[in-house]
């Protein structure tokens, strides 16, 4: 399990007993201590990275390729909620996503920016993923007070076997 933009990591906490390894990627400093305290009892299976998901590896960033390849013998579930950074993260990983033979499942928020749902769907389909969406829509008036409220798809689900 890889959770990017995990905040308090409630999803990971819900499934912690059903997964063999969890990577929590969070670059917001307010979550560093809470994450370390919450997952202290699972330190043998939880890796907390205070980094940003980008197209390269450095002291403060990590690539999707590096994350997924650490689990190259196992299927990987990737959950992304990075406040509008989903599209750049996936664009920067497109060649990896296209070329990998690893089994991947992705749940990616697509409501932060106007055209993310359509653009991310296109990228993932071009990389060989099957696509579905969460049901319903999200009213976006909470994202930016200067914009008119709109209804957007919430989460795209992608599977590559």
């Amino acid at each position: 399990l890889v959770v990017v933009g995990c905040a308090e990591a409630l999803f990971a906490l819900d499934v912690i007993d059903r997964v063999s390894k969890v990577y929590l990627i969070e670059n917001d400093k307010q979550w560093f201590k809470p994450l370390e305290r919450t997952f202290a009892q699972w330190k043998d299976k939880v890796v907390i990275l205070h980094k940003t998901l980008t197209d390269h590896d450095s002291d403060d960033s990590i690539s999707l390729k590096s994350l997924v390849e650490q689990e190259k013998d196992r299927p990987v579930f990737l959950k992304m909620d990075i406040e509008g950074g989903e599209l750049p993260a996936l664009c920067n990983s497109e060649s990896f996503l296209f070329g990998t033979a690893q089994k991947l499942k992705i749940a990616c928020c697509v409501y932060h920016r106007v055209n993310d749902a359509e653009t991310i769907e296109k990228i993932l389909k071009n990389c060989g993923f099957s696509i579905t969406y969460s049901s319903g829509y999200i009213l976006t008036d909470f994202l930016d007070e200067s914009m008119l409220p709109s209804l957007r798809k919430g989460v795209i689900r992608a599977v590559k076997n």
Side-chain angles (χ1 to χ4, degrees):
L1 173 64
V2 177
V3 184
V4 184
C6 62
E8 72 285 333
L10 292 177
F11 178 76
L13 201 52
D14 283 346
V15 300
I16 193 73
D17 294 325
R18 294 182 280 165
V19 297
S20 56
K21 190 85 168 188
V22 176
Y23 295 89
L24 301 174
I25 294 79
E26 179 57 63
N27 68 0
D28 187 340
K29 291 179 182 181
Q30 75 173 333
W31 294 112
F32 293 2
K33 284 184 183 178
L35 284 171
E36 289 167 10
R37 288 183 180 148
T38 299
F39 290 94
Q41 65 182 315
W42 296 286
K43 61 185 171 196
D44 58 321
K45 70 191 283 185
V46 176
V47 177
I48 301 170
L49 300 171
H50 306 303
K51 296 185 177 223
T52 300
L53 184 66
T54 65
D55 62 340
H56 65 281
D57 298 322
S58 70
D59 289 342
D60 59 353
S61 65
I62 189 161
S63 68
L64 184 57
K65 179 180 180 183
S66 293
L67 283 169
V68 172
E69 287 184 343
Q70 291 181 47
E71 297 298 315
K72 61 184 170 207
D73 297 328
R74 294 183 243 188
V76 171
F77 180 78
L78 170 67
K79 179 185 173 290
M80 296 175 67
D81 184 359
I82 47 181
E83 306 308 314
E86 297 84 1
L87 180 59
L90 289 171
C91 284
N92 291 334
S93 305
E94 193 169 0
S95 62
F96 164 72
L97 291 171
F98 180 79
T100 188
Q102 191 163 358
K103 291 182 178 182
L104 294 173
K105 290 184 178 181
I106 299 173
C108 179
C109 290
V110 293
Y111 61 85
H112 294 105
R113 298 184 335 175
V114 175
N115 295 314
D116 276 3
E118 295 80 13
T119 307
I120 289 172
E121 177 180 348
K122 183 178 179 182
I123 289 169
L124 292 173
K125 280 185 173 179
N126 287 341
C127 291
F129 286 83
S130 301
I131 303 298
T132 59
Y133 284 93
S134 56
S135 59
Y137 292 86
I138 292 178
L139 181 63
T140 62
D141 63 338
F142 70 93
L143 294 174
D144 183 350
E145 291 178 6
S146 68
M147 62 190 272
L148 292 174
S150 63
L151 292 174
R152 296 187 191 160
K153 294 178 180 176
V155 175
I156 194 168
R157 297 183 188 113
V159 177
K160 184 173 187 179
N161 292 330

